[in-house]
Amino acid sequence: FGSILKMGRTQLQEAVPNSVRGVGAEGYAERLEAIFKESLRSLRKGGRIILSYHNRELRAWEALTSALRANGLRLRGVAVVLAESANDHSKRGTRAQLYDAILELEPGYEGGTEAVWCPEDPVAKNLFAVALALGEALEGQSLAESYAAQCAALGIEPSIC
């Protein structure tokens, strides 16, 4: 994303919340907003953006929601898939994210979110629940309340805080 923003690749310019580097949720949301703005500038009419995303913190999902909403993007479809490097030895026995939410985004889309696929694993279901809640939040609902409702509907305990 750094090249999209014409920033170069310094650690201080990453679009990642990191308290050590002094990038909080607000700065994260601002960077995401700029990334999506530039993506939309170059997107052809009728085009869609496919985003792979995961995060264990609800505030990161709130920042993503804010950035998408600011750019008029809506969630058209969502799937949760095993991450490319899920079986990497460095992730074994850690709290590493093993799944990615694949988000299909479209400017001005007004239909509902198509829930494409999700593994049965509770961690994957939590990611699926927050991704579906993102779609509802882009329509004006509370992300936290929608996430809780999605978890209840899936029969799981919320683990994204």
Side-chain angles (χ1 to χ4, degrees), residues 53-122:
Y53 191 81
H54 63 253
N55 204 300
R56 281 186 169 43
E57 294 189 30
L58 198 56
R59 66 186 176 127
W61 285 91
E62 289 168 344
L64 178 62
T65 302
S66 174
L68 294 173
R69 189 181 294 132
N71 283 287
L73 286 162
R74 297 292 179 263
L75 186 62
R76 185 177 179 104
V78 62
V80 172
V81 299
L82 195 59
E84 182 179 348
S85 61
N87 294 321
D88 186 44
H89 75 304
S90 65
K91 291 186 176 183
R92 293 184 195 139
T94 68
R95 291 194 53 212
Q97 287 282 29
L98 303 180
Y99 295 95
D100 290 324
I102 308 301
L103 309 174
E104 180 183 7
L105 304 161
E106 185 175 342
Y109 177 70
E110 295 193 16
T113 300
E114 182 181 359
V116 180
W117 187 76
C118 179
E120 287 297 314
D121 182 284

Side-chain angles (χ1 to χ4, degrees), residues 2 11 43 83 93 103 126 135 146 156:
Q11 290 181 338
L43 188 69
L103 309 174
N126 258 281
S146 294
I156 56 171

